[in-house]
């Protein structure tokens, strides 16, 4: 039987639940993270969720860097594979 558990990420007033499964061979928990480029998601205040591997943002702290290295990405915990971009240039305005 595969061990599974869910974790809730809470950032900028939004809650996102991600299922994790335990890989016994590698002894690690693997998260089934959404791919936000294909399935965009925004917080109630219009900020986009991003995967740390997302690249190509014109607002990156350094040209060509991934979101994981960018100062605009806020994660719930250091090392999380997802977060929310707090750059005002990508925020949806009502």
């Amino acid at each position: 039987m595969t061990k599974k558990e869910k974790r809730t990420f809470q950032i900028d007033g939004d809650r996102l639940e991600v299922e994790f499964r335990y890989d016994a061979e590698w002894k690690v928990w693997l998260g089934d993270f959404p791919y936000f480029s294909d399935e965009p998601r925004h917080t109630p205040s219009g900020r986009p969720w991003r995967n740390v591997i997302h690249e190509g943002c014109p607002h990156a702290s350094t040209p060509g860097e991934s979101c994981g290295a960018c100062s605009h990405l806020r994660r719930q915990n250091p090392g999380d594979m997802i977060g929310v971009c707090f750059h005002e240039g990508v925020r949806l305005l009502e």
Side-chain angles (χ1 to χ4, degrees):
M1 181 195 297
T2 303
K3 289 193 235 178
K4 292 183 180 184
E5 64 180 45
K6 292 185 181 187
R7 177 174 166 208
T8 302
F9 293 82
Q10 299 179 71
I11 306 172
D12 195 37
D14 199 12
R15 295 170 53 98
L16 175 64
E17 194 171 86
V18 174
E19 186 171 282
F20 285 77
R21 67 177 173 76
Y22 185 72
D23 185 307
E25 181 179 347
W26 293 98
K27 297 180 175 73
V28 295
W29 285 92
L30 302 172
D32 187 17
F33 295 100
Y35 190 60
F36 298 115
S37 292
D38 292 341
E39 300 173 27
R41 180 183 177 113
H42 292 79
T43 67
S45 61
R47 292 182 175 97
W49 284 83
R50 293 282 189 246
N51 301 85
V52 296
I53 60 170
H54 181 83
E55 294 180 333
C57 179
H59 305 291
S61 302
T62 303
E65 78 182 342
S66 68
C67 286
C70 183
S71 64
H72 302 297
L73 186 74
R74 297 214 186 134
R75 303 178 222 195
Q76 181 173 310
N77 297 302
D80 285 347
M81 300 302 291
I82 59 174
V84 172
C85 180
F86 272 72
H87 191 285
E88 288 300 314
V90 297
R91 186 175 182 184
L92 294 179
L93 302 175
E94 293 182 17

